[in-house]
Every structure is written in C-alpha cells, then in structure tokens.
Amino acid sequence: MKKISYFIFALCVLLTSCDEIFNDEDQPKDNPQEAEKLIGLWRGEDAVGMIHLYNFRPDRSATYCVYTHVMGNIASVNTTLYSSWTATSDMLYIEGDAVLYNRNGKLVGVDGSQFKEFELSRIYNPSTGKGTRKIPELTGKVWTGYYYDKIVQLEFRADGTMTRTTSPNAGWEGTVQVKEYTWKIADGAIKMSDGTTDAWGVGLVISRYSYEPNFIFAEFGDACCALSDYEED
C-alpha cells in the first residue's frame, strides 16, 4: 500500500492580513480560553478536494494528516505528530507557525495551490465525547493506519471485542504488540477500552463509490491516525 504524505503551512505568506502576525519579533501569546474552544478533531476539505485532519489534544500536542478520496488516489494516510499548539483570538499556531485562522471559535485554512479559504468543522469533541459523522461498518475488515514509527491495525468483532496490532513502520525497529479492547458505538463515536485506558474513534469519509475505501480515525493516546479498510489485491 502506497503511503501519502503532504505538508502545508505556507499560509501566512499568502494572506496580507497575516503579515504582522508572522513578524519574527512578534511571538504568539497563547490564550488558554481560546485554545479550550478548539480542542478536538477538526476536518476540512480544500478547493482541490484534499481532506485536512487536525487533532488538537488537551495536552497541547497535535497531529495532522491529509488525504484525498478522489478515485484512484486513495491510499494509506501518514500522520504527522507535533509537540505543541497554541491559539490566539485570531490564529491557531502549530509549533510556533500560524497554520489556521481562528474566527470566533471556527477554524479556517487556505489551500496551498489555489490560495482559497476552506472551513473546518469539529467532528469530535473530547469534552462531550460526541462525534458528528456517520461511522461505517467496522466488523469483518482490517483497518490500517500509520503513526510515526508505527503501523496500527484494528479488527472489530461483532461480539464487542477488538484487537489492536501495532507493528514497526518501514525502516523502524521494534516488536509486534497485540492488545485486546472492548468497543461500542455511542454518541456518534467509537468507544474503546482495554480495561485500563479509554480510546475513541470517529468516521471520516463514507465512500461514494464501491471501489473507494472507507476511513475512520482512532485516538489511543500513544498512537492516533486515520485508518483505511483498503486491501491490496
């Protein structure tokens, strides 16, 4: 399975309203009240059909992935991990770089090719435990995703149990780890537990065509990523 990895973040040089914010002498000052409004999983689709997925964690780390559901271009999705994010009343910063506009608690991005704005919507809010998107059929499939040095595979069973298999990603060393979970769907989200820690997941894209894979997103704390049910022939 071929991996897709895209990088954005040249937003401010594209928008004149960001000129002052990007002054190296002006470091952004975090506004905890604004940041609290933005915690969660955000999804947006830009003008060329790319899906941008940001997971802003309560501990102020963040993850980002991007993928497309255009026919013939879907493959596995890499997830990029960031150590910090901050927010002001105007912008959201990842590791000090302005990445998204913050407009009254709504996030807006700019695509890197046509320079057009696109809105993002929060599809999971950890403070309420609620998701907003339809979850595809989970059982009878192997869901595969990539998180830094890990390959994560999930197998959901109809009896309410799930196996999570974590393997070293290509070029990395390590051992295969297998953990068992219970799972259920509630409040528009996948609720998972290994008996000690809880995890969550949501649906991302429901295929419009039978030959397109479905996607979900799962957050386990030590790993989180978008996962596809795609199977290579």
Side-chain angles (χ1 to χ4, degrees):
M1 186 182 296
K2 189 177 180 181
K3 301 178 188 176
I4 299 174
S5 182
Y6 297 85
F7 297 91
I8 63 172
F9 315 132
L11 304 183
C12 292
V13 296
L14 308 177
L15 301 167
T16 56
S17 59
C18 292
D19 288 345
E20 292 184 2
I21 296 175
F22 272 62
N23 190 325
D24 290 336
E25 297 177 359
D26 260 344
Q27 295 301 316
K29 294 182 179 179
D30 184 47
N31 184 324
Q33 289 75 28
E34 289 295 330
E36 186 70 21
K37 300 175 186 176
L38 304 177
I39 292 172
L41 183 66
W42 294 75
R43 177 193 181 277
E45 183 170 356
D46 68 22
V48 295
M50 300 304 300
I51 308 297
H52 302 263
L53 197 66
Y54 294 90
N55 182 27
F56 299 114
R57 292 163 154 174
D59 67 1
R60 294 306 189 90
S61 63
T63 62
Y64 167 74
C65 63
V66 62
Y67 61 92
T68 178
H69 55 76
V70 176
M71 181 181 63
N73 289 330
I74 297 181
S76 59
V77 183
N78 284 335
T79 300
T80 304
L81 174 65
Y82 296 97
S83 61
S84 66
W85 65 275
T86 58
T88 67
S89 59
D90 301 308
M91 299 292 297
L92 187 144
Y93 298 80
I94 295 180
E95 294 188 347
D97 293 328
V99 175
L100 301 169
Y101 286 111
N102 176 19
R103 293 176 178 163
N104 297 318
K106 295 186 180 296
L107 296 178
V108 177
V110 178
D111 80 61
S113 59
Q114 298 189 20
F115 310 148
K116 293 182 178 179
E117 292 189 356
F118 62 94
E119 292 187 0
L120 294 95
S121 59
R122 182 160 52 181
I123 61 174
Y124 183 79
N125 186 338
S127 67
T128 63
K130 294 182 178 181
T132 63
R133 298 180 67 82
K134 184 177 178 181
I135 297 170
E137 176 61 41
L138 299 174
T139 59
K141 306 171 182 179
V142 177
W143 297 87
T144 303
Y146 299 85
Y147 178 77
Y148 188 50
D149 59 346
K150 301 178 178 69
I151 300 173
V152 179
Q153 293 185 307
L154 307 180
E155 295 184 62
F156 297 88
R157 292 181 286 273
D159 64 0
T161 62
M162 182 197 79
T163 299
R164 170 192 168 192
T165 304
T166 306
S167 309
N169 206 345
W172 294 86
E173 296 181 356
T175 58
V176 176
Q177 297 181 336
V178 179
K179 294 184 71 174
E180 296 295 324
Y181 291 77
T182 59
W183 71 278
K184 64 180 180 179
I185 295 177
D187 296 324
I190 310 165
K191 313 285 187 173
M192 299 167 281
S193 176
D194 63 2
T196 303
T197 58
D198 295 330
W200 57 266
V202 293
L204 292 181
V205 170
I206 302 301
S207 299
R208 292 177 296 174
Y209 308 103
S210 61
Y211 43 76
E212 288 186 350
N214 289 319
F215 280 92
I216 61 174
F217 184 92
E219 167 69 271
F220 293 96
D222 62 331
C224 66
C225 55
L227 302 102
S228 168
D229 68 353
Y230 174 81
E231 294 183 6
E232 284 187 289
D233 296 329

